[in-house]
Amino acid sequence: IFGVGYQSIPIFTWVIFPVTLYYSRSAWSNLLPLYIANLFGNVLALLGCFNLDPTPGYADVGFLIGIAAAINILVILCYAVDHWAYNSKSSLIRIYTFPFLWTGAWNLLAWYSPLGDFFTFSQAGMLWNSFRQIASFGGRAMLDFLIAWFGTVIVETLTSGNENRSQGPKNGYGEWDDVTNKPTDNDDMPQTEPDHSNGKQPLKSKIRSIFTPLSIYCLIFSVLLAYGGGQVSIIKGSFYQTSYSNYITRDVVRAGCVIGNTDGTGYSLSDRQYWFNQTIQLANDGAKLVLWSEETYQTFDGLDEQQFLSQASSIASNNSIYLALSYINNIGDTFENLMTLIAPNGTVLRRYNKAHPVVGVEDQPAGPNVLQYVDTPDFGRIGLGICFDYNFPSLIDQAGQNQVDLMLQASWTWGPIGTFHARGNSLRAIENGFTMLRCGSQGMSGVFTATSDSPYQQQFATLSNQTLIFQLPRLPYTRTTYTVFRGSFGWICLALGLLSLLYLIISSVMRRVSRRRSH
């Protein structure tokens, strides 16, 4: 409950894996109780997921249970394969099958399911800056892998002297029977003991005693944390102990947020003028870029939208600002969730339709899964995305591949989601090397950069019907290892996990065939 949800405590997230793996490996029959525990633990962790109405109570709990039940089928399949792998004589299979499959499965969900990466267990890691910065190297998939790998390493360490698995009897010759869960008899094998009469430990054994699964994990994890911590601690240009004035950029402009209502109001003609007045006030206060939060306004047909954009263009040109409008446009029986970017000369630069509507909340058709971006003389390359879009690497990774400097995110969250969602979405900036301006109602608004907790980051909790101004640094796109390898780590894990599963299947078949021949 407090390991994977809106009020996660990071240590609980890490402890989940060794505890559940130890339990699931004990018996096949433990998988069903584990599925039930995971199911209701997930539901309780995310109980306020559909609380659009601020009144007390929890909405659409049945729908949430259905989503959790579907996701946990994939989760329990990973544990089932791990239980099978635990009977392998190979420590590599025992240790790496689960984290490979786990990471690959969540990566698959993030790219191709309608839920994106919203429910990933690594969300709690967003509170640990050195850890989350590792995403610039291997993406969220690497964070998922490290947490799952921790679980198998701890279980392997705790059970390393346990004979009740396929390492066989201590003489080293027995083989494990996957059906009876007992060691097979190999009476024809010579029962000899290793010769240590000279009192010296064999080199192979000495190496094994040093490079244990735990020591290997600690070494690799420490290197990755050093990488992440170095990026967080040593800002570009600051090495070695450079004066602040010599590396902190002075190229900063003001950017404003107009935060709309969240109660379904604010869509009348008088409201339109009200939001425009808020925009003009931000421009008078020095804002060079103004972004409206998601669904701040609503147009009712194509003609109404044209009139709305015409008025917005006039305001942008009269005040020499970039204006990013977030609004709903009704089309017959359905609607579009839009962000339109207007240049300081009044030209409409881009009109973007939200590519990933929220499951169970937004029933409008999705826009194309193609990132909209445009080159500008003042902010470099600007990209557009709306709220839930940032949970989908298939869309936002296009920003890294196209070297986008600044991403705009209009958002509207509800219930307890706000902080959870903003922190998770900010990981996209770390992965893809861009700066992100986020303006959201009932959530967190602010500036997020490619470096976790950088001196330029600003975050503020926002509700509705308010304005804010942030100091936006004009930072260029930062090339990351994640973008160089196009986020391939998660797919590599999936491939290795499936190869491990194939190995287990072939090994099991060969053992059965061998036993039948011997009989």
Side-chain angles (χ1 to χ4, degrees):
I1 297 171
F2 295 101
V4 298
Y6 298 135
Q7 295 179 321
S8 296
I9 301 171
I11 187 62
F12 290 175
T13 309
W14 288 82
V15 170
I16 283 172
F17 288 93
V19 171
T20 54
L21 285 166
Y22 186 88
Y23 177 74
S24 66
R25 289 180 172 189
S26 300
W28 282 107
S29 58
N30 286 350
L31 292 174
L32 179 58
L34 178 60
Y35 174 83
I36 295 171
N38 262 338
L39 169 60
F40 287 100
N42 293 160
V43 169
L44 291 173
L46 303 164
L47 198 57
C49 201
F50 299 105
N51 281 12
L52 277 73
D53 190 335
T55 57
Y58 299 97
D60 295 327
V61 175
F63 183 60
L64 180 60
I65 291 174
I67 293 176
I71 292 176
N72 273 285
I73 290 175
L74 191 60
V75 167
I76 213 65
L77 284 175
C78 292
Y79 279 94
V81 174
D82 174 76
H83 180 93
W84 191 8
Y86 188 56
N87 289 327
S88 172
K89 289 193 295 182
S90 170
S91 60
L92 293 177
I93 293 295
R94 293 196 303 271
I95 294 170
Y96 293 103
T97 297
F98 178 78
F100 281 148
L101 277 179
W102 179 268
T103 305
W106 283 107
N107 190 64
L108 203 61
L109 284 175
W111 277 76
Y112 294 113
S113 82
L115 300 171
D117 66 359
F118 188 83
F119 292 102
T120 52
F121 283 40
S122 59
Q123 183 67 30
M126 301 304 101
L127 301 175
W128 184 4
N129 289 323
S130 296
F131 179 66
R132 73 198 299 259
Q133 192 65 36
I134 295 172
S136 67
F137 184 79
R140 184 187 281 276
M142 187 165 281
L143 307 186
D144 290 327
F145 177 81
L146 289 169
I147 296 175
W149 184 21
F150 171 78
T152 56
V153 164
I154 293 300
V155 174
E156 181 75 12
T157 302
L158 293 175
T159 61
S160 59
N162 186 0
E163 295 178 28
N164 293 325
R165 65 178 184 209
S166 61
Q167 291 176 339
K170 287 185 177 180
N171 59 36
Y173 290 108
E175 193 174 59
W176 209 257
D177 190 320
D178 291 333
V179 178
T180 64
N181 205 35
K182 296 179 181 180
T184 59
D185 294 326
N186 285 318
D187 296 334
D188 56 327
M189 301 299 290
Q191 305 298 306
T192 59
E193 293 290 337
D195 182 12
H196 298 307
S197 57
N198 58 6
K200 294 182 179 180
Q201 187 180 18
L203 179 60
K204 189 175 181 180
S205 298
K206 190 173 183 178
I207 293 174
R208 283 183 174 178
S209 67
I210 295 173
F211 293 101
T212 64
L214 183 59
S215 66
I216 292 172
Y217 179 85
C218 290
L219 175 63
I220 293 176
F221 193 31
S222 296
V223 170
L224 289 172
L225 281 178
Y227 165 86
Q231 287 202 336
V232 171
S233 179
I234 305 172
I235 304 300
K236 184 179 180 180
S238 68
F239 193 83
Y240 176 74
Q241 299 184 22
T242 304
S243 295
Y244 217 55
S245 59
N246 291 333
Y247 71 90
I248 292 296
T249 183
R250 290 178 172 83
D251 190 10
V252 177
V253 297
R254 290 187 173 188
C257 291
V258 173
I259 308 299
N261 290 336
T262 58
D263 58 359
T265 63
Y267 301 147
S268 68
L269 285 176
S270 61
D271 291 321
R272 175 194 294 185
Q273 189 57 51
Y274 174 79
W275 301 126
F276 281 142
N277 289 341
Q278 298 281 66
T279 301
I280 294 169
Q281 183 60 54
L282 287 172
N284 292 338
D285 292 338
K288 298 301 181 184
L289 167 64
V290 176
L291 171 62
W292 289 14
S293 67
E294 184 179 11
E295 299 184 15
T296 291
Y297 189 65
Q298 181 174 358
T299 56
F300 296 92
D301 53 43
L303 178 60
D304 190 30
E305 185 189 15
Q306 288 180 11
Q307 294 172 347
F308 170 65
L309 292 180
S310 176
Q311 187 176 357
S313 294
S314 298
I315 290 172
S317 60
N318 291 339
N319 294 275
S320 299
I321 61 171
Y322 288 87
L323 178 55
L325 305 162
S326 299
Y327 60 100
I328 296 171
N329 181 45
N330 286 279
I331 307 174
D333 295 331
T334 186
F335 63 92
E336 299 170 303
N337 189 342
L338 300 172
M339 181 192 292
T340 297
L341 179 63
I342 301 174
N345 63 5
T347 302
V348 174
L349 297 176
R350 289 291 181 271
R351 180 182 183 274
Y352 168 71
N353 185 16
K354 188 175 185 179
H356 296 279
V358 179
V359 176
V361 176
E362 298 174 304
D363 56 2
Q364 80 272 19
N369 191 50
V370 178
L371 185 74
Q372 297 290 310
Y373 61 88
V374 62
D375 291 327
T376 68
D378 301 292
F379 293 95
R381 184 163 289 179
I382 299 178
L384 312 180
I386 300 175
C387 201
F388 201 43
D389 286 334
Y390 283 74
N391 285 95
F392 294 84
S394 61
L395 176 66
I396 304 302
D397 280 9
Q398 296 175 42
Q401 300 304 321
N402 290 288
Q403 302 184 14
V404 171
D405 303 296
L406 173 65
M407 284 293 294
L408 305 181
Q409 183 186 24
S411 180
W412 172 12
T413 49
W414 50 82
I417 295 176
T419 301
F420 176 92
H421 191 246
R423 284 175 176 160
N425 286 175
S426 68
L427 197 69
R428 298 281 100 92
I430 295 173
E431 290 175 332
N432 292 286
F434 56 72
T435 301
M436 181 172 79
L437 174 65
R438 174 186 171 96
C439 296
S441 53
Q442 290 197 74
M444 289 174 64
S445 298
V447 175
F448 300 84
T449 66
T451 303
S452 178
D453 197 33
S454 80
Y456 306 111
Q457 289 207 166
Q458 303 140 64
Q459 302 160 26
F460 196 82
T462 43
L463 292 171
S464 63
N465 193 3
Q466 61 187 113
T467 58
L468 303 96
I469 282 189
F470 297 100
Q471 302 296 322
L472 178 66
R474 290 192 279 199
L475 300 173
Y477 159 81
T478 301
R479 189 179 177 88
T480 66
T481 307
Y482 176 81
T483 58
V484 169
F485 292 99
R486 295 179 177 268
S488 59
F489 183 79
W491 300 114
I492 292 172
C493 286
L494 179 61
L496 292 174
L498 293 176
L499 284 174
S500 298
L501 177 58
L502 182 62
Y503 169 83
L504 290 170
I505 294 171
I506 293 174
S507 298
S508 177
V509 170
M510 290 179 66
R511 282 197 296 270
R512 291 172 186 270
V513 170
S514 178
R515 283 197 294 271
R516 287 175 182 174
R517 286 178 178 175
S518 64
H519 290 324

